[in-house]
Amino acid sequence: MAKQRDFASFTVVVTGATAGVGRATALAFGRQGARLGLIARDAEALKTVAAEIRAFSTECAIAAVDVADADAVENAAAQFAAELGPIDIWVNDAMLTVFSPISRITPQEFRRVTEVTYLGVVHGCMAALRVLKPRGQIINIGSALAYRGIPLQSAYCGAKHAIRGFTASLRTELEHDNSGIAVSLLELPAMNTPQFDWARTHMPRQPKPMGTIYQPEVASAAVLRAARSRAREYWVGNSTLLTIVGNMIAPWYMDRFLAHGAVEGQETSRDVSPDRRDNLFQPVTDLHRTHGRFGGQARASAAVYPGDTTRAAIVMAGAAAFLLLGVALARFVSKD
């Protein structure tokens, strides 16, 4: 069991803090008494979340910043360090997506998703390294789609794959420098967040999460677990485990499975309204909240798998299976 840490003495920064997983994470640390620095684009939504956190009798500072702007993120980090003190934990969560076939998404849309979802993490890490305590921690929010791309979300999947590679590079450099800063990566399943109400879509029907859906508090609980354990990687939920393992073992099968079911699996039966608003370039203030509209289908708890030990267990299980197969074949041949 991870050692308990007293977050009441901690200062935590969360990006994408006004909705979904980011908001749930900020509130979870706030309930623990941590001081919070919140980053998001929408100033009014930030004020609302900050008021909720201050109701827990803890300090909270805000910065209305687009994480695609590296200088703005650097300035926010300096602001938080000045107002709240040296940072203990920095959580990179901000994201955008577009539901679209590659043939219909524009280069500008693809670039925007990449700048926020991937480069936003890069900018957050760069800023964090300048303000974190010597034994601080960076927690990057990834996805099962960092291991397995799916139809209609090529820009998002590409960004999450990039986050995984960047996180590995950052971790090795910090280890080379004998740094005390830990870097954790959480791979999440489908979450019941507002993204399906405000993400841009080029599809005829309203988007929805694919597969098993979990409440954002499942992710925030995993973030707190990572903050306590300082583990390298967690896979959250059985669906994440199956996605990663399935792609390790039979990527060709995953290609066919997703090709035949993942497009329809990401659409509801409701037509997209012609006046649908999206948050790709501008926030949609009134849709900022923790939960999306799939609460009736969302699970409130999930298994959390340490990536390193789970991966090792899969390799050992595979080796054992091949060994048993070899023994069986040897016996069969010897009988002949």
Side-chain angles (χ1 to χ4, degrees):
M1 181 179 293
K3 182 179 178 180
Q4 296 296 309
R5 303 179 79 183
D6 180 16
F7 292 124
S9 64
F10 276 43
T11 299
V12 181
V13 174
V14 181
T15 74
T18 53
V21 171
R23 187 170 187 151
T25 297
L27 292 172
F29 276 113
R31 292 187 188 95
Q32 296 282 322
R35 296 177 295 276
L36 269 298
L38 309 181
I39 292 177
R41 289 180 295 171
D42 195 294
E44 291 304 312
L46 278 169
K47 292 175 184 177
T48 300
V49 181
E52 293 181 57
I53 289 171
R54 289 172 184 138
F56 303 136
S57 299
T58 188
E59 294 181 71
C60 183
I62 62 175
V65 163
D66 187 333
V67 295
D69 184 337
D71 291 339
V73 177
E74 288 276 359
N75 292 338
Q79 171 198 329
F80 293 149
E83 292 186 31
L84 304 172
I87 311 302
D88 295 278
I89 299 172
W90 185 293
V91 182
N92 288 303
D93 173 70
M95 56 75 66
L96 290 173
T97 191
V98 174
F99 291 90
S100 175
I102 295 171
S103 61
R104 295 183 62 190
I105 190 171
T106 69
Q108 293 77 16
E109 290 169 338
F110 209 105
R111 182 180 300 111
R112 176 63 178 161
V113 173
T114 304
E115 287 174 345
V116 172
T117 307
Y118 170 49
L119 291 181
V121 170
V122 174
H123 299 158
C125 289
M126 288 177 169
L129 292 176
R130 292 171 172 78
V131 295
L132 280 173
K133 290 181 178 178
R135 287 282 298 169
Q137 182 180 13
I138 295 170
I139 301 176
N140 290 336
I141 304 301
S143 169
L145 304 186
Y147 285 85
R148 174 69 245 185
I150 65 173
L152 302 187
Q153 294 202 63
S154 57
Y156 179 81
C157 292
K160 290 298 184 180
H161 274 72
I163 289 169
R164 187 159 63 94
F166 170 79
T167 301
S169 292
L170 173 61
R171 187 183 290 118
T172 55
E173 289 184 9
L174 291 172
E175 185 170 342
H176 172 270
D177 295 340
N178 295 314
S179 172
I181 295 174
V183 181
S184 300
L185 180 62
L186 271 62
E187 310 294 14
L188 302 186
M191 309 300 299
N192 177 37
T193 71
Q195 69 164 299
F196 302 96
D197 295 322
W198 63 19
R200 180 167 294 189
T201 180
H202 295 312
M203 302 301 292
R205 289 177 291 277
Q206 294 274 15
K208 70 173 184 178
M210 180 179 169
T212 306
I213 307 169
Y214 297 88
Q215 294 287 25
E217 288 79 8
V218 169
S220 63
V223 172
L224 263 63
R225 177 170 173 174
R228 292 189 173 101
S229 69
R230 294 167 64 87
R232 293 178 73 259
E233 184 177 18
Y234 281 127
W235 301 348
V236 181
N238 290 332
S239 57
T240 297
L241 172 70
L242 293 173
T243 298
I244 295 173
V245 174
N247 198 62
M248 289 170 58
I249 296 173
W252 54 269
Y253 172 79
M254 295 292 286
D255 288 345
R256 294 179 182 177
F257 173 78
L258 292 166
H260 290 92
V263 173
E264 294 79 5
Q266 294 180 82
E267 291 186 287
T268 69
S269 59
R270 296 171 52 200
D271 291 339
V272 171
S273 171
D275 59 354
R276 176 187 173 94
R277 297 169 295 164
D278 69 68
N279 73 336
L280 189 63
F281 292 100
Q282 297 293 332
V284 184
T285 300
D286 57 299
L287 291 182
H288 282 84
R289 55 184 184 269
T290 304
H291 302 99
R293 54 191 167 85
F294 299 95
Q297 306 168 44
R299 298 184 181 182
S301 62
V304 178
Y305 300 92
D308 292 339
T309 55
T310 305
R311 192 178 287 106
I314 293 167
V315 171
M316 288 188 290
F322 277 111
L323 177 61
L324 291 174
L325 178 62
V327 170
L329 288 173
R331 288 178 176 176
F332 177 77
V333 171
S334 65
K335 289 180 180 180
D336 289 345

